[in-house]
Amino acid sequence: MSELTFHPVMRYEGRLPLPRLDLRSGYSHMQEAPALQGAGGYLEHRRGMYTSALFGGERFIHTGIDIWGPAGEPVFAFSDGRIWGFRDNRNELDYGPTIITEHEIGGQKLYALYGHLSRKSLSGLEAGQPVQAGQRLGWLGDRSENGGWVPHLHFQLSVEEPSEPDMPGVVAPHELEAAAARYPDPRIILGPVYL
């Protein structure tokens, strides 16, 4: 897959790599962003950040990549595919509006989760609906609709078909090996979004 090129999921063309935002010490220093401001890491250990009951007090290893930007910033499909599923994951510190797309890349199925979107991003969607590379899928949501986070995109890949429009965005240490095999580094699609 690394030899293929894909459409950017946000408007960061020509600005890569983005600054790496280190969240290993938590999230409290994050501010609203007037423009794209950086990316958060794959398999980054983020102790103390996931405080809702949803995470069971033990899940803190990040299985996707976060890209911060202002609410309303558009989000795009990285490749041709279809809408696999969508829903509003409304739990505290959850994804809020979420879209999962399905793609065939190099003869292999790949699923991509776009989380923390706006509610209007889900309007008019249908499972199975085709998408094209570069097509706008939606927009970043604000705190009132994206699970309570500073606006950003959580982008995550899975080599296994999800059972529902959701994927664990953080896992516990004892789940890390299996999670890394199931949820590969999104930089295989995003490119060097951060170093």
Side-chain angles (χ1 to χ4, degrees), residues 78-167:
F78 72 87
S79 181
D80 294 350
R82 72 180 187 99
I83 301 292
W84 181 88
F86 56 93
R87 79 171 179 209
D88 191 350
N89 292 295
R90 290 181 179 233
N91 299 307
E92 178 189 359
L93 301 183
D94 205 337
Y95 291 128
T98 306
I99 298 172
I100 295 180
T101 56
E102 178 184 333
H103 308 268
E104 188 166 319
I105 308 294
Q108 178 182 347
K109 291 229 175 158
L110 190 63
Y111 301 87
L113 180 144
Y114 298 78
H116 306 304
L117 303 176
S118 66
R119 290 205 174 97
K120 73 178 181 177
S121 301
L122 304 184
S123 180
L125 292 183
E126 294 181 26
Q129 175 182 339
V131 296
Q132 296 181 329
Q135 176 181 333
R136 188 187 68 237
L137 291 176
W139 302 266
L140 295 185
D142 64 30
R143 286 179 186 261
S144 71
E145 58 189 346
N146 75 3
W149 300 98
V150 169
H152 71 284
L153 172 68
H154 176 93
F155 182 78
Q156 183 169 333
L157 299 174
S158 178
V159 296
E160 296 178 18
E161 184 172 6
S163 59
E164 57 184 330
D166 198 3
M167 293 178 196

Side-chain angles (χ1 to χ4, degrees), residues 3-55:
E3 298 173 12
L4 301 173
T5 58
F6 301 99
H7 192 281
V9 297
M10 293 181 71
R11 296 185 297 194
Y12 49 70
E13 303 97 327
R15 293 187 269 172
L16 296 182
L18 295 171
R20 171 83 182 262
L21 301 177
D22 186 349
L23 299 176
R24 289 177 292 181
S25 60
Y27 181 75
S28 60
H29 66 285
M30 290 294 298
Q31 303 294 319
E32 302 287 331
L36 292 179
Q37 69 172 16
Y42 173 68
L43 299 186
E44 185 173 72
H45 290 225
R46 298 176 173 180
R47 288 185 186 276
M49 196 166 144
Y50 302 98
T51 55
S52 81
L54 182 66
F55 305 104

